[in-house]
């Protein structure tokens, strides 16, 4: 039986196994789910074994384990390394989900008329990395595996991949490969397949502004003592000017400007501003002056408040001047910005703009480097040919705004080309309530991955 026939015959099982994986609430950010994160790692190990891996092991780290698997059919053949993550974002706020986040259900939507799987992690990234496990299983069953394959599936991507670098550095030989496949990104749409060739980096900060040593009566002290929330809002507002340009000195020093020709090419990708706005129910987009939406997301850095809190937020009214205010602020970065340098620039600047009467603390959470990958490598050509085959259309290279911090490390340390071979859509609600992944995307992804192996082997034989 061919791999394609095997996939067709086992569709229900392939889907049900993914649903089982989605039932494990492997939220890496919240220690409450610690046992579940470990359970997800075991699940992945078991799946690799069942699919036909010779090696499937749990590699302990100081945090959550990395699941490693391999099938070496002939050391002289090319090797494909697959990277993905079995951890997921927190599901909060739960009340905004139409169905419980860890009880997957399949529902039809306008964008996914053939059904979408609603669950946290369905698109990011369980549904996507699991396509590789299933494609591997199908190729093994059909005797169609044409090159060696290695899997590295981690459990800390959503919290900054802190332990992956150590693992990669300590296992360079084990991870040696000719290409790295990562399905953790989006395509433009089902009718406009695309391959991501750029990701932004990230610097994530937390700030604390303290006024008086205790909460104060807002009548007795209001107007005479700094209110840390008011101050924090003003400080944050000053971080961008009227053109949405970031005001932190030195912030843009290392930003690579694209040539007019490169910008023109980037903007040739299909993009309908009206449709974009309609889907988000907004009347206008908002961003840095002089750049299109595609550019604002793909090639420009930005700064956003992810959360802000302090003072009284309970029922009714309480008249109080809070003692403290907090915010979590992220900056998305582009080549050649360095996340640690940006963290330092932010800290120095933020402290410098604090008015007298408050104290400011600034701390850096995790971060990651931006990455640009080749759109002409053998791996890219194989991915292009595979998509051409399954979608009937040549994929477009795109640059996305999200971050996979480890991509730049792979380029530097493993030396093989990463291919950002994602099959999700930007409407899949990653990190939001009602995250979902198209059933059709899941199966076309499995087929396309199997096609990739064929094309990659053929191109390597040329
Ligand atoms: N799958 C995403 C990255 C992504 C999303 C790439 C959308 C392209 C388009 C990944 O799991 C993720 O969410 N990464 C985090 C970074 C991390 C350091 C927390 C992100 O981008 O916020
Ligand atoms: Zn992801």
């Amino acid at each position: 039986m061919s791999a394609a026939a095997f996939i067709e015959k086992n569709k229900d099982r392939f889907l049900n196994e993914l649903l089982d994986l989605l039932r494990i609430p492997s939220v890496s950010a919240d220690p409450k789910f610690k046992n579940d994160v470990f359970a997800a790692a075991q699940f992945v190990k078991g799946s690799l074994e069942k699919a036909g891996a010779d090696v499937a092991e749990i590699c302990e780290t100081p945090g959550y384990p990395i699941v490693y698997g391999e099938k070496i059919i002939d050391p002289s053949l090319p090797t494909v390394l697959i990277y993905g993550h079995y951890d997921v974002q927190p599901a909060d706020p739960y009340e905004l989900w139409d169905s419980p986040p860890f009880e997957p259900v399949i529902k039809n939507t306008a964008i996914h008329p053939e059904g979408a799987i609603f669950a946290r992690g369905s698109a990011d990234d369980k549904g996507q990395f699991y396509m590789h496990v299933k494609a591997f299983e199908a190729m093994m069953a059909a005797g169609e595996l044409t090159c060696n394959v290695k899997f590295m599936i981690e459990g800390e991507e959503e919290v900054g991949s802190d332990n992956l670098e150590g693992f990669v550095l300590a296992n360079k030989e084990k991870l040696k490969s000719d290409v790295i496949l990562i399905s953790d990104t989006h395509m433009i749409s089902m009718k406009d397949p695309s391959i991501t060739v750029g990701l932004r980096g990230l610097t994530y900060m937390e700030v604390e502004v303290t006024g008086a040593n205790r909460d104060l009566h807002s009548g007795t002290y209001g107007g005479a003592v700094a209110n840390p929330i008011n101050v924090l809002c003003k400080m944050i507002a000053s971080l961008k000017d009227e053109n949405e340009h970031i005001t932190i000195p030195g912030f843009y020093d290392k930003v690579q400007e694209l040539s007019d020709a490169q910008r023109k090419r980037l903007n040739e990708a299909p993009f309908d501003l009206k449709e974009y706005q309609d889907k988000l129910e907004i009347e206008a987009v908002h961003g840095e002056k002089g750049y299109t939406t595609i550019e604002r997301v793909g090639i420009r850095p930005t700064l956003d408040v992810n959360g802000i809190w302090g003072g009284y937020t309970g029922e009714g009214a309480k008249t109080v001047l809070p003692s403290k205010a907090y915010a979590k602020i992220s900056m998305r970065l582009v080549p050649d910005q360095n996340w640690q340098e940006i963290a330092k620039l932010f800290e120095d600047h933020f402290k410098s703009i604090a008015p007298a009467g408050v104290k400011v603390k600034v701390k850096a959470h995790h971060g990651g480097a931006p990455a640009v990958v080749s759109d002409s490598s053998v791996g890219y050509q194989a991915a292009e040919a595979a998509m051409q085959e399954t979608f009937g259309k040549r994929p477009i290279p795109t640059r996305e705004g999200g971050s996979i911090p480890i991509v730049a490390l792979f380029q530097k340390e493993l030396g093989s080309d990463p291919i950002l071979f994602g099959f999700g859509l930007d409407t899949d609600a990653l990190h939001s309530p009602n995250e979902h992944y198209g059933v059709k995307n899941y199966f076309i992804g499995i087929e396309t991955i199997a096609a990739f192996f064929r094309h990659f082997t053929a191109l390597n034989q040329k």
Side-chain angles (χ1 to χ4, degrees):
M1 193 190 298
S2 70
F6 186 86
I7 296 166
E8 189 55 41
K9 181 159 172 257
N10 289 280
K11 269 192 154 164
D12 287 348
R13 180 171 62 81
F14 279 14
L15 190 58
N16 285 325
E17 286 176 12
L18 172 60
L19 301 186
D20 285 340
L21 174 59
L22 291 168
R23 286 189 188 97
I24 308 175
S26 48
V27 179
S28 50
D30 186 344
K32 185 166 89 210
F33 295 102
K34 191 171 168 199
N35 292 340
D36 301 297
V37 185
F38 281 102
Q42 287 294 346
F43 186 104
V44 176
K45 174 176 181 259
S47 303
L48 289 172
E49 277 165 352
K50 272 186 260 159
D54 291 334
V55 176
E57 57 195 22
I58 300 270
C59 307
E60 301 296 341
T61 77
Y64 290 121
I66 293 157
V67 185
Y68 177 79
E70 67 176 38
K71 176 75 195 176
I72 306 296
I73 50 172
D74 176 351
S76 67
L77 286 171
T79 300
V80 178
L81 171 66
I82 288 148
Y83 164 81
H85 62 96
Y86 63 81
D87 64 321
V88 302
Q89 283 275 323
D92 315 71
Y94 279 66
E95 64 277 14
L96 296 183
W97 285 76
D98 296 331
S99 56
F102 300 107
E103 294 172 28
V105 290
I106 297 175
K107 284 187 289 189
N108 296 349
T109 71
I111 292 169
H112 297 287
E114 288 166 51
I117 310 157
F118 283 79
R120 171 56 86 231
S122 54
D124 185 9
D125 174 43
K126 287 173 171 170
Q128 295 221 59
F129 88 74
Y130 209 64
M131 300 181 307
H132 291 268
V133 181
K134 294 294 108 179
F136 168 57
E137 181 182 328
M139 290 185 285
M140 284 294 290
E144 282 181 19
L145 187 68
T146 50
C147 40
N148 304 310
V149 55
K150 296 177 176 176
F151 287 86
M152 173 172 56
I153 313 296
E154 71 152 318
E156 299 185 310
E157 196 275 345
E158 299 292 5
V159 287
S161 302
D162 283 348
N163 294 297
L164 196 63
E165 180 165 2
F167 181 80
V168 168
L169 296 180
N171 292 285
K172 281 191 180 181
E173 196 49 41
K174 182 173 179 155
L175 299 172
K176 213 166 175 310
S177 64
D178 298 280
V179 68
I180 306 174
L181 283 188
I182 305 174
S183 295
D184 195 18
T185 50
H186 296 139
M187 306 181 291
I188 297 174
S189 70
M190 280 305 246
K191 62 178 204 321
D192 294 303
S194 57
I195 300 176
T196 306
V197 294
L199 290 168
R200 286 195 287 191
L202 179 71
T203 293
Y204 201 107
M205 310 295 292
E206 184 164 332
V207 299
E208 178 190 298
V209 177
T210 307
N213 58 359
R214 60 180 168 87
D215 287 0
L216 303 172
H217 190 288
S218 68
T220 313
Y221 293 98
V225 173
N227 176 333
I229 298 184
N230 293 17
V231 169
L232 176 60
C233 290
K234 241 185 177 163
M235 289 170 75
I236 289 171
S238 78
L239 296 176
K240 284 187 178 179
D241 68 14
E242 67 283 6
N243 294 325
E244 291 291 304
H245 211 70
I246 294 156
T247 56
I248 300 170
F251 185 86
Y252 291 97
D253 284 0
K254 294 198 174 166
V255 170
Q256 264 184 31
E257 299 289 339
L258 268 64
S259 68
D260 289 347
Q262 284 172 312
R263 286 180 68 179
K264 185 166 172 285
R265 184 151 172 249
L266 197 68
N267 284 299
E268 277 162 9
F271 177 75
D272 183 329
L273 185 62
K274 166 116 180 29
E275 191 184 317
Y276 181 85
Q277 293 177 169
D278 287 351
K279 279 187 196 155
L280 298 173
E281 295 182 33
I282 52 176
E283 262 146 42
V285 290
H286 186 88
E288 190 183 357
K289 195 171 169 196
Y291 295 92
T292 64
T293 298
I294 288 185
E295 292 173 333
R296 286 170 179 171
V297 170
I299 58 163
R300 297 301 294 168
T302 191
L303 179 150
D304 277 291
V305 180
N306 295 250
I308 182 162
W309 70 103
Y312 183 70
T313 56
E315 284 288 312
K318 179 186 178 197
T319 49
V320 63
L321 285 192
S323 163
K324 285 180 187 291
Y326 307 84
K328 292 189 194 272
I329 299 171
S330 68
M331 286 159 280
R332 294 282 169 175
L333 313 178
V334 299
D336 293 317
Q337 289 177 299
N338 169 295
W339 81 263
Q340 284 101 341
E341 278 172 25
I342 293 292
K344 179 83 177 76
L345 290 178
F346 177 95
E347 177 172 355
D348 291 348
H349 178 67
F350 204 74
K351 286 182 172 162
S352 79
I353 58 173
V358 300
K359 292 184 208 67
V360 170
K361 277 192 199 159
V362 178
K363 120 173 166 200
H365 281 274
H366 52 67
V372 170
V373 305
S374 161
D375 62 1
S376 57
S377 64
V378 173
Y380 187 90
Q381 290 172 39
E384 205 173 34
M387 278 191 148
Q388 170 84 51
E389 190 178 313
T390 51
F391 287 87
K393 203 166 177 181
R394 187 169 180 206
I396 301 163
T398 56
R399 290 176 66 151
E400 283 200 84
S403 310
I404 309 177
I406 219 64
V407 171
L409 178 85
F410 290 164
Q411 287 176 311
K412 182 159 163 262
E413 300 297 340
L414 297 178
S416 42
D417 294 305
I419 307 296
L420 300 165
F421 210 21
F423 295 88
L425 301 179
D426 61 4
T427 46
D428 287 346
L430 271 66
H431 298 200
S432 304
N434 301 317
E435 176 180 349
H436 55 279
Y437 188 47
V439 173
K440 192 168 173 188
N441 300 58
Y442 180 58
F443 286 110
I444 204 167
I446 297 173
E447 285 161 31
T448 310
I449 290 162
F452 172 90
F453 274 73
R454 249 185 293 115
H455 289 287
F456 189 65
T457 310
L459 285 167
N460 270 287
Q461 281 163 348
K462 271 195 191 155

